[in-house]
Amino acid sequence: MRSVRQCSRTACARAAVATLTYVYSDSTAVLGPLALMAEPHSYDLCEVHSGRLTAPRGWEVVRLSSPTTEPGPSQDDLAALADAVREAGRPRHLADPAPVQDGEVARRGHLRILRGEG
């Protein structure tokens, strides 16, 4: 069973979607996708708190990516998948016949009928 990490903000019980890390030497707050493991010097934030994040005066906030947006399949991916399913479900006798190569008269399965050379 996979445990869900909660937001680090006090009294917030929502699931974390982003990880906040401070780089003190550069006066920078870095907000990125949820880290694979909880780290002691980073903070997990929910969607609401990661969207409202502000940094102290003089600090910069770097947002590595939108932590709440998951890329889904594109229309091209879905069309290719639908075409592959249709092709796999098409009966063999309705499938396009293999092209006849030079010297071939016909083809049946793995056998070929070739023209004689005489």
Side-chain angles (χ1 to χ4, degrees), residues 19-38:
T19 299
L20 171 67
T21 306
Y22 291 105
V23 181
Y24 294 99
S25 62
D26 294 333
S27 299
T28 304
V30 181
L31 183 67
L34 187 62
L36 296 177
M37 296 183 65

Side-chain angles (χ1 to χ4, degrees), residues 36-103:
L36 296 177
M37 296 183 65
E39 298 290 332
H41 298 291
S42 62
Y43 304 92
D44 295 334
L45 298 176
C46 66
E47 184 176 353
V48 173
H49 288 118
S50 65
R52 287 193 218 155
L53 177 72
T54 59
R57 184 174 291 148
W59 283 57
E60 181 181 355
V61 176
V62 175
R63 295 179 189 269
L64 296 178
S65 67
S66 177
T68 60
T69 314
E70 290 188 25
S74 70
Q75 290 296 336
D76 292 339
D77 293 338
L78 294 175
L81 180 60
D83 290 341
V85 169
R86 272 190 226 105
E87 184 66 30
R90 184 186 301 178
R92 299 279 287 161
H93 68 278
L94 295 179
D96 297 330
V100 176
Q101 298 175 358
D102 291 337

